[in-house]
Amino acid sequence: MPRPKGFDPTEVLDAAVGTFWRKGYAATSAQDLVDGTGLGRGSLYNTFSGKRQLFSEALRRYEETSAIRVEEMLAAPGTIRARIRRVLMDVVDDELDSSGAHRGCLAVNAALELGGIDDEVTARVRHNFERVENAFHAEFAAARQQGEIGPERDPRALARFTVAAMYGLRVLGKTADRQALTQVVETTIQAL
C-alpha cells in the first residue's frame, strides 16, 4: 500500500512557480526548489521526477491561475474597451507593485528563455497564450455581435493584437515607468 504524500501538490506547485518566476529555469537549482517548496529532494523528485517536469507542471499551474484571472476580469460588467483596459491596467499594476520585483509573466519569461529551444516548454507557453487569446476573442466576437465594435473588425485579429500588447507590457514592465506603460494601454484601447 503506497504511503500518503503528506503534502499538497498544488501548494508545492505554487511554491515552485514562485521559485522559477524569480530565478528562471536555468538559474533555479535543485536546492532552490527544495528551499522554495519545503520538500526534501527525494519527495520532490519522487513526485515530479525532476526539475524539467516540475517546471512544466509549474507552467501549467501558472496558466491556470493567470488565465482565470484574465477570464474573470473579462466577464465583469462594462464595455469591451473598459474591460480590456482593466485587464491591461492590472498588468501595469502587477508589474509596478511595491515589491519592485518586476518579475514579468512566467509564460513570457519561459518563452524568452526556452521558447524555440525546448519543444515541451514552447508548446506549454503557446497553449497559455492561446487560452488568453481565446478569452479575448470571445469577448471581441460578442462585442461585434452587439454592435459595440464595427462589423468590419476581425475579433481574432483584435484578440491577437491585445495579447501582444498585454505580454509586451510584461516585458516593458521590467524597465519602464507607469507613465510609459499607461501610454501603451491607452494607445491599445484607442486602436480597438
Side-chain angles (χ1 to χ4, degrees), residues 9-170:
T10 302
E11 288 178 14
V12 171
L13 279 176
D14 287 342
V17 164
T19 302
F20 285 124
W21 204 350
R22 279 188 303 280
K23 300 191 79 147
Y25 176 75
T28 298
S29 69
Q31 189 58 50
D32 292 329
L33 292 169
V34 167
D35 293 343
T37 63
L39 290 181
R41 285 178 199 249
S43 294
L44 200 57
Y45 287 97
N46 285 336
T47 303
F48 297 102
S49 80
K51 175 181 165 181
R52 181 72 187 66
Q53 184 191 10
L54 180 55
F55 186 61
S56 181
E57 288 298 310
L59 281 172
R60 182 193 55 73
R61 175 69 179 148
Y62 178 81
E63 176 188 331
E64 288 173 5
T65 58
S66 63
I68 286 170
R69 187 171 166 178
V70 170
E71 291 162 354
E72 287 173 349
M73 282 189 277
L74 288 174
T79 66
I80 185 68
R81 287 173 181 85
R83 289 179 287 135
I84 297 296
R85 178 181 283 113
R86 239 186 333 265
V87 169
L88 296 179
M89 286 307 297
D90 184 66
V91 169
V92 170
D93 292 341
D94 192 41
E95 287 306 312
L96 300 177
D97 76 355
S98 60
S99 73
H102 301 284
R103 296 183 301 178
C105 166
L106 181 61
V108 170
N109 296 348
L112 294 172
E113 184 177 5
L114 297 170
I117 297 169
D118 183 306
D119 291 341
E120 185 178 345
V121 170
T122 300
R124 173 67 61 198
V125 170
R126 182 180 300 120
H127 187 269
N128 184 309
F129 291 172
E130 287 171 352
R131 181 172 174 177
V132 173
E133 179 187 315
N134 288 337
F136 284 133
H137 174 259
E139 297 304 320
F140 283 120
R144 186 172 78 172
Q145 195 169 31
Q146 295 164 359
E148 202 175 339
I149 60 173
E152 75 287 353
R153 304 304 301 269
D154 179 349
R156 181 61 65 187
L158 290 171
R160 288 181 176 145
F161 176 76
T162 306
V163 164
M166 185 173 100
Y167 291 125
L169 286 168
R170 290 290 190 187

Side-chain angles (χ1 to χ4, degrees), residues 163-185:
V163 164
M166 185 173 100
Y167 291 125
L169 286 168
R170 290 290 190 187
V171 174
L172 289 173
K174 290 181 177 285
T175 59
D177 63 14
R178 179 170 290 280
Q179 181 181 357
L181 297 178
T182 302
Q183 188 176 43
V184 171
V185 171

